[in-house]
């Protein structure tokens, strides 16, 4: 009985998924069907009368191609767990020059909005993935669509056949219903191999994407290093350096007052000692910002636990005690977790957070979840986009799930050969 109930559940789920696949695969053919119907309606023997239906079909196809492909990737990932990389060209950084103009890698614009818009349309029209997507939407109705249409077509045939008085038609209706029921659990599964075969990036596209990614990483690394050097110089100049200069002046004054006014010299020495302690604390904080000592001495797990104790959120940390990573990877993950916890407290107004660090067959996986108000995204130029680029240096990935109202779940994955 349990097996029957389980099979019926699979059949019902498969039937719904088959209907979804059929609906998605017929979106573009429906546009062309409407164009043909419109052409038949307006046809008066004049060949120019077919321009409007043709334009309708072309514009509708171009508007639907990329959303259909994204929908198929999402469905395949949700139903089977198979993630198909999009392979679309990603925009590079937009930089403001000293002249006030913005450079987007292709042209100079007066504002960042114009630079981003120009960059977006250049990438959209020159992306070779467009031809791949067009090929897929042309193939999908005759592959996954044909297989997925069997259950709904069988149910429709059963309804029509069983409603007829003829015994032959009723027999055909029973046969159609049986075919629909037995094909429902697996009819939709053809969409996975078809999508993997025709939607994944080609080797040339993957190579071009990797070159663009490495170019962007090089630019990000240069900018980050320059910003870090400026921060260190500023912190030293405004903090420890100023205090050490004041300390030197105090000691010079003490040297002159030792014989004439010992009490005032002692007071200056006490102030100098306090200044020296403050300078030492500032230097320690500066070194901790560059590379936390606990990270070098005790590893990523203990460093994250220490970070959780200092976090304003109530943070729980679960981790694999056997985890052992290279220091650059540990540093990237540590500062990534620190940034996510800071964002959760500052922007999402969260009160609880959970950090999980585990290892699997491919690498290390870090999950950070909070109970904030959500709405986080990886738009170009955001902090999450910068974190994604920093992880990409190690071939890592960043996935963000943050619906409006929360919760926010961020997964960082970095492949490692030896853990």
């Amino acid at each position: 009985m349990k097996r029957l109930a389980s099979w019926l559940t699979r059949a019902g789920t498969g039937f719904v998924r088959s209907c979804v696949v059929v609906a998605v695969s017929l979106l573009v053919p429906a546009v062309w069907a409407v164009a043909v119907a419109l052409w038949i309606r307006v046809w008066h023997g004049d060949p120019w009368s077919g321009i409007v239906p043709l334009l309708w079909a072309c514009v509708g196809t171009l508007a639907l191609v990329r959303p259909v492909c994204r929908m198929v990737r999402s469905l395949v990932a949700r139903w089977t767990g198979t993630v198909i990389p999009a392979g679309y060209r990603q925009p590079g950084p937009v930089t403001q020059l000293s002249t006030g103009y913005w450079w987007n890698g292709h042209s100079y614009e007066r504002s960042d909005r114009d630079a981003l818009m120009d960059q977006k349309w250049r990438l959209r029209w020159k992306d070779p993935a467009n031809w791949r997507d067009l090929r897929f939407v042309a193939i999908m109705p005759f592959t996954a669509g044909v297989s997925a249409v069997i259950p709904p077509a069988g149910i429709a045939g059963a309804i029509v056949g069983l409603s007829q008085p003829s015994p032959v038609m009723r027999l055909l209706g029973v046969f159609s219903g049986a075919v629909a029921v037995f094909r429902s659990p697996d009819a939709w599964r053809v969409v996975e191999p078809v999508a993997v075969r025709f939607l994944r990036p080609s080797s040339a596209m993957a190579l071009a994407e990797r070159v663009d990614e490495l170019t962007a990483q090089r630019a990000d690394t240069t900018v980050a290093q320059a910003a870090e050097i400026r921060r260190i110089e500023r912190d030293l100049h405004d903090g420890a350096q100023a205090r050490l200069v004041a300390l030197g002046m105090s000691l010079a004054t003490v040297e002159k007052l030792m014989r004439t006014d010992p009490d005032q010299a002692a007071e200056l020495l006490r102030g100098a000692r306090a200044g020296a302690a403050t300078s030492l604390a500032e230097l320690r904080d500066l070194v901790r910002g560059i590379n936390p000592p606990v990270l070098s001495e005790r590893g990523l797990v203990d460093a994250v636990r220490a970070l959780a104790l200092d976090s304003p959120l109530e943070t729980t940390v679960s981790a694999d005690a056997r985890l052992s990573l290279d220091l650059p990877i540990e540093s990237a993950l540590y500062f990534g977790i620190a940034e996510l916890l800071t964002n959760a407290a500052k922007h999402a107004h969260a009160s609880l957070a959970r950090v999980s660090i585990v290892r699997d067959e491919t690498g290390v996986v870090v999950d950070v979840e909070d109970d904030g108000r959500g709405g986080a995204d990886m738009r170009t130029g955001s902090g999450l986009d910068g974190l994604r680029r920093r992880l990409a240096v190690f071939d890592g990935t960043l996935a963000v799930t943050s619906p409006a109202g929360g919760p926010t779940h961020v997964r960082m994955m970095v492949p490692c050969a030896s853990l």
Side-chain angles (χ1 to χ4, degrees):
M1 195 67 180
K2 291 183 178 180
R3 289 185 178 180
L4 179 60
S6 175
W7 188 87
L8 290 176
T9 301
R10 288 180 56 238
T13 303
F15 180 80
V16 173
R17 292 179 178 179
S18 296
C19 294
V20 172
V21 171
V22 171
V24 172
S25 64
L26 291 181
L27 286 174
V28 173
V31 171
W32 284 90
V34 172
V36 172
L38 182 62
W39 177 74
I40 294 174
R41 184 177 181 84
V42 301
W43 172 255
H44 299 295
D46 183 6
W48 295 102
S49 60
I51 292 180
V52 173
L54 181 61
L55 287 176
W56 158 266
C58 293
V59 172
T61 300
L62 292 177
L64 286 174
V65 161
R66 188 162 289 190
V68 166
C69 293
R70 286 175 175 166
M71 201 180 308
V72 171
R73 290 191 195 94
S74 176
L75 293 175
V76 170
R78 187 187 309 168
W79 292 345
T80 67
T82 302
V83 178
I84 305 173
Y88 300 121
R89 288 184 175 177
Q90 299 298 323
V94 176
T95 307
Q96 187 176 21
L97 305 178
S98 59
T99 58
Y101 283 84
W102 292 80
W103 171 250
N104 60 11
H106 304 280
S107 63
Y108 298 96
E109 302 294 339
R110 292 184 177 272
S111 66
D112 57 341
R113 180 178 177 274
D114 293 339
L116 290 172
M117 185 65 66
D118 177 79
Q119 184 186 60
K120 173 185 175 182
W121 286 109
R122 285 178 183 269
L123 290 176
R124 176 65 65 90
W125 289 111
K126 294 184 178 181
D127 195 343
N130 293 331
W131 298 107
R132 176 204 62 192
D133 291 352
L134 280 171
R135 180 186 62 179
F136 176 76
V137 297
I139 291 175
M140 185 181 177
F142 303 101
T143 53
V146 170
S147 176
V149 81
I150 294 176
I155 294 297
I159 295 174
V160 172
L162 293 176
S163 62
Q164 300 297 321
S166 172
V168 176
M169 293 298 297
R170 290 188 176 184
L171 183 61
L172 289 176
V174 172
F175 178 76
S176 298
V179 170
V181 170
F182 283 103
R183 284 294 300 158
S184 290
D186 301 312
W188 62 271
R189 294 187 180 275
V190 180
V191 71
E192 179 187 4
V194 173
V196 171
R197 171 63 180 84
F198 294 102
L199 271 185
R200 64 183 178 184
S202 65
S203 57
M205 293 167 58
L207 180 60
E209 181 181 3
R210 184 59 175 166
V211 170
D212 294 341
E213 184 179 352
L214 291 176
T215 302
Q217 289 174 10
R218 181 181 63 183
D220 291 341
T221 302
T222 303
V223 172
Q225 288 177 345
E228 186 67 12
I229 291 174
R230 288 195 299 269
R231 182 186 71 83
I232 294 172
E233 290 177 347
R234 184 176 63 253
D235 291 346
L236 287 174
H237 182 272
D238 298 341
Q241 179 179 339
R243 294 184 184 278
L244 291 175
V245 170
L247 177 62
M249 296 175 62
S250 298
L251 292 177
T253 305
V254 167
E255 184 179 3
K256 296 179 179 179
L257 294 176
M258 284 295 295
R259 295 179 180 179
T260 60
D261 194 347
D263 293 337
Q264 187 177 359
E267 182 67 24
L268 288 174
L269 283 175
R270 284 192 291 269
R273 183 177 61 183
T278 304
S279 299
L280 181 60
E282 290 180 351
L283 289 173
R284 286 174 176 170
D285 291 339
L286 181 62
V287 172
R288 188 177 296 109
I290 298 172
N291 190 32
V294 66
L295 186 62
S296 304
E297 297 170 0
R298 304 181 62 180
L300 176 64
V301 174
D302 289 335
V304 172
R305 286 177 175 152
L307 180 67
L309 293 176
D310 295 334
S311 174
L313 306 177
E314 184 179 343
T315 307
T316 58
V317 179
S318 59
D320 191 338
R322 300 171 298 171
L323 192 65
S324 177
L325 302 170
D326 293 335
L327 185 58
I329 298 177
E330 287 187 337
S331 179
L333 292 175
Y334 173 83
F335 285 108
I337 295 172
E339 181 174 351
L340 293 174
L341 291 179
T342 301
N343 291 343
K346 183 178 180 181
H347 302 294
H349 303 292
S351 58
L352 301 174
R354 182 183 62 84
V355 180
S356 172
I357 308 173
V358 297
R359 55 176 294 180
D360 59 14
E361 298 81 3
T362 58
V364 58
V365 179
V366 178
D367 291 301
V368 180
E369 187 173 0
D370 65 71
D371 64 345
R373 60 186 182 185
D377 60 5
M378 283 195 297
R379 64 183 183 277
T380 302
S382 65
L384 290 176
D385 183 59
L387 177 57
R388 178 191 63 80
R389 294 197 301 268
R390 292 197 297 272
L391 292 176
V393 175
F394 307 99
D395 288 331
T397 58
L398 179 72
V400 180
T401 304
S402 182
T408 297
H409 178 240
V410 180
R411 167 165 290 190
M412 296 182 287
M413 196 284 289
V414 177
C416 298
S418 59
L419 296 174

